[in-house]
Amino acid sequence: MPATARFLDSLGLNFMYVRLARLEPHSYLWEHRDYAELRDTGRHRLHIPLVTNPSAVLVTAGARVHMAAGALWRLTPSQAHGVCNTTGPDRLHLIPDVYADDAYEALAARPHLRDGDATDLPEMTAAERAGLLEKAGQLAELGFTVAAEQTLLRAFYTYALPEGGAYDLIAELHAGRRADADVSRWRAAKAHLLARP
């Protein structure tokens, strides 16, 4: 990939890792936090969208962000976030992790977010919460437990939930079913996926 290598060299950054990440249609990376393994290293994650579509979004801190092509995006992956591509086509990003140094600081000193790039998600009402739990409960009663859990996980992309809120909904679903092992499994998943660096 000589053209990609030349582009990366032109940025003048000190790279830790660089990878291509593809997210297929109807794909979700559930809410998580990265960098737990790199606690003592100053680093930042950049996203360079190569192929994208309006349904490919990142959600963090109660906001939905579409990383449009033609821009270099900075993500703070130690903050809880998730990504999805609901309709497709594939989303393809070049993702460099870079060390914090003078070159990075010079680049980061010029942030710019265009109107419409980020949209605040609505708060979930009590009625919406009850309806979502009822729908998930019906799916679970029919034996579609994974579908029930995914219904609740997708709430993260629709509503401004508190950190780990989708995992809490799943634990609540299973508590109502008296499925203690599932409650424990999802509480453990929340603790693991949202571990703070």
Side-chain angles (χ1 to χ4, degrees), residues 49-62:
L50 303 175
V51 177
T52 189
N53 69 80
S55 82
V57 297
L58 170 128
V59 171
T60 187

Side-chain angles (χ1 to χ4, degrees), residues 74-150:
R74 178 179 58 178
L75 171 65
T76 306
S78 57
Q79 298 298 315
H81 63 283
V83 296
C84 68
N85 182 5
T86 55
T87 63
D90 287 359
R91 184 199 84 159
L92 186 64
H93 282 197
L94 185 65
I95 304 177
D97 284 350
V98 301
Y99 291 101
D101 61 11
D102 291 342
Y104 169 78
E105 295 302 330
L107 181 66
R110 303 186 314 266
H112 176 72
L113 193 63
R114 297 174 297 204
D115 289 341
D117 284 340
T119 306
D120 289 333
L121 294 170
E123 299 286 331
M124 180 185 283
T125 67
E128 289 167 332
R129 179 184 177 88
L132 198 57
L133 283 166
E134 180 181 355
K135 178 181 177 181
Q138 291 169 348
L139 286 167
E141 284 178 26
L142 292 170
F144 300 110
T145 306
V146 172
E149 293 169 348
Q150 289 181 350

Side-chain angles (χ1 to χ4, degrees), residues 7-8 11 46-51 67-73 92-96:
F7 167 72
L8 291 171
L11 296 176
L46 306 177
H47 275 250
I48 304 164
L50 303 175
V51 177
M67 292 187 231
L72 178 68
W73 294 83
L92 186 64
H93 282 197
L94 185 65
I95 304 177

